[in-house]
């Protein structure tokens, strides 16, 4: 692109001194290092990228803004009634559940991560990836399986009665799985992998010199873990716990099946039971406040935490030798979460799927699977496409306002699905009613539901919720592409779109694939938003399993649940490979 500058030739007194225009060709060598050449973009192209990024950020934030508006200006204000009756119980149960799950995932995730990373353990390679397997099983499926196994009429209690000759429930005591304690156990078994994978990545990234220094100073393996490794990994652990607590807040299938009245259950009760959207939005706003508090706590806990490696000496971690009892304890720490969180549910689902195959392998099953594939696939295309657009726009224009928009577009994952559903459905319904009224008055025809109650609303909610998942992978992939490659492409006359297509796409293909898989699997498992936003007579595998399990017919839904689990195993393998490669110096 050419630039212009005034040129004043040597003149004598009285001669014409009006400036003449001289052209100067673009010199890429004069470009500042580390900057891309895209600041020379034509104004029209700049406007397209900036405007598109702002539109995406606005669309992602719109449901959250809608929830806030509906909560502050409800049609019928029942907040005083909620605050004096149901809300305290919802808050208490939610607090107990989150506290219990937070303790559970921390104990399981941190201990297993340390054992797998730092100790010499039989089957260590297997445990490295197998510890992530419970992440593939949605919590509500685990809840259904253990309820079927452990209830009074289940096989486990029947076996106990046969063994000891008990005749009724009065003859013995057995813990009830359908309690807050049962919900805490189930959620801890399925959510600890978030803490495990972040803690293990942090332990892998630690320099061996720090650990050796602690051992030279006389610290035992346990003392080294408490005083050195754990403080260094604390920021990563806190992030993992916060993510697990957000997933706890989002869960509906487990707490509904166990009759634990949390804030999420309150939204369904007030909206669907009482028919009051404003009250549901007010409870949703309370949930948003809890989410914001979690994010603030996570940030506050790391406000002065700065950990840096003092050397580039990264070599194979030594591995602590364990005694016989130590090995037994370490194996128990690793085996129990895998068996309880993945093996037992999977075996039960396989058993039921085989036994009830004829009742499950029907046209309805294919319809539900097709609906899940359709919605998850469309949401993946939208979420990943928008994430690529946002990531590349920020690469072109690293401005504070655009950075804020990118962060804003990533808040959807922190918003529970039930809250997001309110922010999507109510504004869409009002827009549909307004359009229908205009068409009736003007043309005498009814347009019906154009947005609300359609697949579009469901795909939109999925894309908003999982945008952060896709953007994280794509941002990491784009960050590995050197700015000099953008400079070279621009120097050769390539447009921004051409640079993205010809240069970046081939280089970030792995990141795009990872983002696509993660979004797709999350879409297959999503339950709260699907229950609220799905069209009439439109079921996915998740809603199909939920409805049958709610009616105590988990056997007929086992094939659908097993399908969700099998699909969920794919990102588990990808995450395990990524964590194993995360240690600096890997492969050298």
């Amino acid at each position: 692109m050419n630039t212009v500058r005034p040129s004043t030739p040597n003149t004598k007194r009285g001669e014409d001194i009006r400036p003449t225009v001289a052209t100067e060709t673009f010199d890429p060598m004069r470009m500042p290092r580390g900057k891309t050449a895209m600041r020379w973009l034509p104004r029209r192209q700049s406007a397209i990228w900036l405007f598109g990024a702002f539109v995406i950020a606005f669309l992602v934030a719109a449901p959250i803004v809608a929830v806030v508006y509906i909560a502050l200006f409800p049609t019928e204000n029942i907040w005083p009634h909620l605050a004096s009756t149901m809300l305290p119980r919802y808050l208490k149960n939610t607090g107990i559940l989150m506290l219990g799950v937070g303790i559970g995932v921390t104990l399981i995730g941190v201990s297993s991560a340390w054992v797998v990373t730092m100790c010499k353990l039989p089957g260590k390679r297997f445990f490295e990836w197998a510890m992530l397997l419970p992440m593939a099983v949605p919590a509500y499926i685990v809840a259904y399986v253990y309820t079927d196994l452990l209830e009074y009429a289940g096989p486990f209690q029947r076996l106990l009665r046969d063994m000891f000759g008990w005749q009724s429930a009065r003859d013995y005591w057995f813990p009830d799985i359908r309690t807050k304690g049962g919900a805490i156990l189930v959620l801890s078994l399925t959510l600890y992998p978030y803490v495990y994978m972040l803690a293990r990545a942090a332990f892998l990234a630690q320099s061996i010199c720090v650990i050796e220094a602690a051992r030279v100073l006389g610290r035992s393996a346990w003392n080294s873990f408490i005083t050195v490794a754990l403080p260094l990994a604390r920021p990563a652990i806190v992030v993992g716990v916060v993510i697990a607590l957000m997933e706890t807040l989002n869960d509906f299938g487990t707490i509904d099946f166990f009759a634990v009245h949390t804030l999420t259950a309150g939204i369904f009760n007030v909206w669907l039971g009482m028919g009051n959207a404003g009250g549901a939005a007010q409870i949703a706003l309370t949930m948003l406040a809890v989410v914001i508090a979690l994010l603030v706590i996570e940030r506050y806990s790391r406000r002065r935490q700065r950990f840096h490696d003092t050397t580039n000496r990264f070599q194979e971690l030594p591995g602590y030798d364990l005694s016989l009892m130590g090995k037994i304890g370490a194996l128990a720490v690793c085996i129990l979460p895998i068996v309880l969180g993945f093996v037992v549910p999977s075996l039960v689902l396989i058993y039921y799927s085989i036994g009830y195959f004829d009742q499950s392998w029907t046209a309805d099953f294919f319809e539900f699977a097709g609906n899940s594939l359709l919605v998850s696939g469309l949401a993946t295309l939208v979420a990943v496409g928008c994430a690529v657009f946002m990531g590349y726009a920020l690469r072109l224009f690293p401005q504070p306002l655009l950075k804020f928009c990118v962060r804003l577009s990533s808040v959807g994952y922190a918003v529970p699905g039930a809250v997001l559903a309110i922010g999507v459905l109510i504004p869409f319904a009002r827009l549909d009613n307004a359009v229908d009224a205009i068409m009736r008055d003007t043309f005498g025809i009814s347009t019906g539901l154009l947005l609300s109650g359609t697949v579009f609303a469901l795909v939109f909610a999925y894309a908003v919720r999982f945008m952060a998942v896709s953007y994280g992978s794509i941002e990491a992939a784009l960050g590995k592409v050197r700015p000099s490659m953008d400079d070279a492409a621009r120097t050769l006359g390539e447009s921004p779109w051409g640079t993205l297509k010809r240069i970046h796409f081939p280089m970030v293909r792995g990141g795009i694939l990872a983002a696509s898989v993660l979004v797709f699997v999350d879409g297959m498992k999503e339950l709260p938003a699907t229950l609220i936003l799905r069209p009439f007579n439109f079921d996915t595998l998740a809603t199909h399993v939920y409805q049958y399990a709610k009616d105590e017919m988990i056997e007929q839904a086992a094939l659908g649940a097993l399908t969700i689990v099998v699909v969920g195993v794919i990102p588990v393998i990808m995450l395990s490979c990524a964590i194993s490669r995360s240690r600096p110096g890997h492969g050298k």
Side-chain angles (χ1 to χ4, degrees):
M1 178 179 177
N2 293 335
T3 59
V4 298
R5 67 176 182 178
S7 177
T8 305
N10 296 327
T11 59
K12 296 180 181 180
R13 182 178 298 178
E15 293 182 351
D16 187 4
I17 58 173
R18 288 178 296 178
T20 60
V21 177
T23 61
E24 180 181 6
T25 58
F26 167 72
D27 184 2
M29 299 304 294
R30 297 176 57 184
M31 196 185 312
R33 285 189 176 272
K35 303 286 186 180
T36 67
M38 300 310 171
R39 63 191 185 102
W40 281 274
L41 282 176
R43 187 170 299 178
R44 180 180 298 177
Q45 294 187 29
S46 301
I48 292 174
W49 288 96
L50 290 174
F51 179 75
F54 293 148
V55 168
I56 293 173
F58 169 78
L59 291 176
V60 172
I64 303 173
V65 175
V67 169
V68 175
Y69 179 82
I70 296 168
L72 296 179
F73 305 99
T75 304
E76 179 185 357
N77 186 17
I78 63 171
W79 178 253
H81 172 71
L82 292 175
S84 61
T85 56
M86 295 182 289
L87 189 62
R89 181 176 58 171
Y90 293 152
L91 286 172
K92 177 183 176 181
N93 290 337
T94 301
I96 293 174
L97 192 66
M98 295 177 69
L99 177 63
V101 172
I103 295 174
V105 297
T106 301
L107 292 177
I108 300 174
V110 175
S111 60
S112 58
W114 175 256
V115 167
V116 170
T117 306
M118 301 300 300
C119 298
K120 293 181 179 179
L121 194 67
K124 180 177 179 178
R125 295 293 183 185
F126 166 77
F127 290 122
E128 286 179 355
W129 63 268
M131 292 300 302
L132 292 171
L133 286 175
M135 183 185 290
V137 190
Y140 55 86
I141 292 180
V142 177
Y144 303 154
V145 168
Y146 277 110
T147 300
D148 189 74
L149 287 177
L150 302 178
E151 64 182 355
Y152 179 78
F156 191 77
Q157 289 200 51
R158 286 204 309 267
L159 177 63
L160 291 178
R161 289 194 295 270
D162 293 340
M163 290 176 59
F164 297 101
W166 295 327
Q167 299 299 321
S168 66
R170 293 190 298 268
D171 297 336
Y172 65 99
W173 176 87
F174 194 85
D176 186 7
I177 187 67
R178 292 195 181 189
T179 59
K180 286 191 284 287
I184 289 172
L185 177 62
V186 167
L187 290 169
S188 298
L189 287 174
T190 55
L191 296 178
Y192 82 83
Y194 289 107
V195 180
Y196 165 79
M197 66 179 178
L198 291 175
R200 181 168 175 252
F203 293 148
L204 284 170
Q206 292 176 7
S207 172
I208 191 175
C209 294
V210 178
I211 301 172
E212 288 178 344
R215 299 306 302 272
V216 169
L217 294 174
R219 299 283 187 181
S220 63
W222 173 250
N223 285 332
S224 299
F225 167 71
I226 294 295
T227 60
V228 179
L230 192 59
L232 288 174
R234 190 180 113 184
I237 294 172
V238 170
V239 173
V241 172
V242 168
I243 294 175
L245 293 182
M246 289 182 184
E247 290 295 328
T248 300
L249 202 60
N250 178 62
D251 181 83
F252 174 71
T254 304
I255 57 101
D256 178 65
F257 196 64
F258 285 178
V260 180
H261 299 287
T262 62
L263 289 170
T264 304
I267 291 178
F268 282 83
N269 293 337
V270 173
W271 191 1
L272 303 180
M274 301 174 60
N276 192 295
Q282 289 168 342
I283 297 178
L285 188 60
T286 306
M287 292 181 67
L288 283 178
V290 175
V291 170
I292 293 173
L294 289 175
L295 295 176
V296 170
I297 291 172
E298 187 267 331
R299 292 285 181 181
Y300 182 80
S301 68
R302 295 189 293 149
R303 70 193 188 284
R304 294 180 180 176
Q305 300 294 330
R306 297 292 185 271
F307 301 113
H308 303 282
D309 295 308
T310 58
T311 178
N312 59 359
R313 183 187 171 195
F314 290 95
Q315 61 188 51
E316 189 70 24
L317 293 172
Y320 296 121
D321 291 313
L322 300 176
S323 63
L324 178 60
M325 294 303 299
K327 287 184 179 180
I328 294 175
L331 287 173
V333 166
C334 296
I335 291 175
L336 283 177
I338 300 173
V339 171
L340 296 178
F342 180 80
V343 176
V344 171
S346 299
L347 290 178
V348 171
L349 292 178
I350 292 173
Y351 175 78
Y352 285 155
S353 297
I354 295 174
Y356 293 83
F357 185 79
D358 293 338
Q359 301 179 35
S360 302
W361 191 258
T362 62
D364 287 341
F365 172 79
F366 287 100
E367 180 183 350
F368 302 149
N371 291 340
S372 294
L373 294 174
L374 172 66
V375 176
S376 300
L378 291 176
T380 300
L381 290 176
V382 175
V384 174
C386 290
V388 171
F389 189 95
M390 294 290 286
Y392 193 60
L394 185 60
R395 185 180 180 88
L396 298 179
F397 307 98
Q399 302 171 357
L401 180 59
L402 192 56
K403 290 180 180 179
F404 171 78
C405 290
V406 169
R407 289 198 174 190
L408 190 63
S409 66
S410 300
V411 300
Y413 192 74
V415 181
V419 177
L420 195 62
I422 292 178
V424 171
L425 185 59
I426 295 179
F428 279 12
R430 292 182 179 178
L431 180 60
D432 282 343
N433 291 333
V435 172
D436 184 69
I438 294 174
M439 295 299 292
R440 283 176 180 272
D441 295 339
T442 306
F443 302 102
I445 60 175
S446 175
T447 56
L449 298 178
L450 298 176
L451 299 176
S452 58
T454 64
V455 173
F456 175 84
L458 196 56
V459 171
F460 177 75
Y462 279 18
V464 170
R465 174 153 170 72
F466 303 128
M467 177 77 74
V469 178
S470 57
Y471 180 79
S473 298
I474 291 169
E475 181 188 31
L478 282 174
K480 296 178 181 179
V481 181
R482 295 183 178 182
S484 58
M485 304 198 71
D486 299 72
D487 301 342
R490 181 58 183 156
T491 302
L492 295 173
E494 192 63 82
S495 65
W497 169 246
T499 303
L500 176 63
K501 180 180 178 181
R502 299 173 181 272
I503 305 297
H504 292 84
F505 267 142
M507 301 185 69
V508 302
R509 189 180 303 161
I512 293 176
L513 177 62
S516 301
V517 171
L518 292 174
V519 173
F520 183 82
V521 173
D522 280 340
M524 293 282 290
K525 297 188 296 184
E526 176 62 28
L527 180 62
T530 312
L531 284 173
I532 297 175
L533 294 173
R534 62 194 170 118
F536 294 111
N537 297 321
F538 185 93
D539 280 308
T540 63
L541 288 176
T543 60
H544 162 67
V545 173
Y546 165 78
Q547 290 173 346
Y548 270 85
K550 190 175 182 180
D551 295 334
E552 306 292 343
M553 300 171 64
I554 184 63
E555 296 87 356
Q556 283 81 355
L559 185 60
L562 186 62
T563 303
I564 296 175
V565 172
V566 171
V567 173
V569 170
I570 300 174
V572 167
I573 298 174
M574 296 175 59
L575 284 172
S576 177
C577 295
I579 293 173
S580 298
R581 293 193 299 265
S582 65
R583 178 167 173 79
H586 173 82
K588 291 184 179 181

